[in-house]
Amino acid sequence: MPATSPVILILGAGPHIGQAVARTFTSKGYKVALATRSLNEADSTDSQLNIKSDFANSDDVVNAFDKVKKVFGIPSVVVYNVSASTLTPPKDPFALPLADFNRDVSINVMSAFVAAQQAALGFAQLPASAARTFIYTGNILNVGIIPGFLAQGVGKSAGAHMMWAASAAYKDRGFKRYYADERKQDGTAKYRVDGEAHAELYWGLAEEKVQGPWMQMFVQGVGYKRFDGQYGV
């Protein structure tokens, strides 16, 4: 039977953000499900479920939700921590092969949409006391240009719009949706992001009872910070 502990599903459990978030939520009493290509399912424990997933295939997203629901129960927190980017020449963004562009968009957008959709179906079955929080790990590319990152910029922009729209649409139902973007103190892009800072922010967002600013720009050691010139905050 599914456990009574709250459950978090982290889609994309890399060694930095994903693992830091997993450690934090485990320490708070959550059961943790990690969906990624690299972990061994046989290494799952009573408190951690490993799910082999390739997010170029959105069916793997549905499979991850089905598995965690069967083993642990419906996740009340879902983190989409997946990103794909095929680099292009900085001066020739349309040199990107269509096949690579399609794959990156499938990972950054299509599978993220399916994850958000599956999360909403689950949240509707949870009590109002549950966290019911979906977080998309983003970056500055939804409001800025970094040469060479066309496909990821398209993906992050779409992910941000999904979270913006969903934060308004589901607000009255108590479902929270966020786009997280770690910045430097001056508001510029931070390329070497901090996993623990993400984990701290994500825990706080899960604990909040109501929807906060959907675009969660934040600074390590400071937390959420609004920067002038940004939209939707």
Side-chain angles (χ1 to χ4, degrees):
M1 293 296 291
T4 57
S5 300
V7 180
I8 180 173
L9 171 58
I10 304 170
L11 301 155
H16 301 298
I17 296 173
Q19 292 296 328
V21 173
R23 288 192 299 270
T24 293
F25 277 78
T26 297
S27 72
K28 303 296 186 180
Y30 272 69
K31 299 285 189 179
V32 176
L34 304 175
T36 182
R37 289 184 298 178
S38 59
L39 294 177
N40 189 343
E41 292 189 352
D43 293 335
S44 298
T45 67
D46 290 342
S47 60
Q48 178 176 310
L49 175 65
N50 296 338
I51 306 169
K52 201 84 168 177
S53 301
D54 181 353
F55 299 106
N57 179 7
S58 60
D59 287 344
D60 278 15
V61 177
V62 177
N63 176 64
F65 275 86
D66 288 343
K67 283 190 174 181
V68 69
K69 182 178 178 180
K70 181 178 179 180
V71 177
F72 284 159
I74 299 171
S76 59
V77 180
V78 177
V79 175
Y80 196 79
N81 186 52
V82 187
S83 188
S85 182
T86 303
L87 297 180
T88 64
K91 298 294 186 179
D92 190 9
F94 292 115
L96 180 66
L98 179 59
D100 293 334
F101 181 79
N102 282 337
R103 179 183 178 278
D104 291 353
V105 169
S106 293
I107 293 170
N108 295 325
V109 182
M110 304 306 182
S111 286
F113 174 84
V114 174
Q117 188 177 57
Q118 290 291 309
L121 293 172
F123 293 172
Q125 300 177 59
L126 293 173
S129 58
R132 300 186 297 178
T133 304
F134 185 99
I135 304 170
Y136 183 108
T137 300
N139 55 33
I140 203 170
L141 284 170
N142 65 308
V143 293
I145 298 169
I146 300 177
F149 287 83
L150 176 69
Q152 191 179 99
V154 169
K156 296 303 183 184
S157 297
H161 188 87
M162 283 192 285
M163 295 304 100
W164 188 6
S167 69
Y170 291 107
K171 183 177 181 180
D172 291 342
R173 298 179 67 181
F175 302 176
K176 296 171 292 178
R177 304 286 175 141
Y178 295 104
Y179 179 93
D181 170 15
E182 184 180 4
R183 303 285 186 89
K184 295 179 181 178
Q185 288 279 358
D186 62 0
T188 57
K190 185 173 183 181
Y191 297 102
R192 293 189 177 184
V193 297
D194 186 87
E196 298 299 334
H198 280 77
E200 182 178 354
L201 178 78
Y202 291 10
W203 173 250
L205 295 177
E207 284 289 280
E208 287 292 332
K209 300 303 180 185
V210 297
Q211 175 76 46
W214 70 270
M215 187 158 68
Q216 284 285 315
M217 297 172 290
F218 68 102
V219 175
Q220 182 182 358
V222 176
Y224 172 78
K225 185 174 182 180
R226 177 172 175 165
F227 293 101
D228 291 340
Q230 307 292 4
Y231 68 92
V233 295

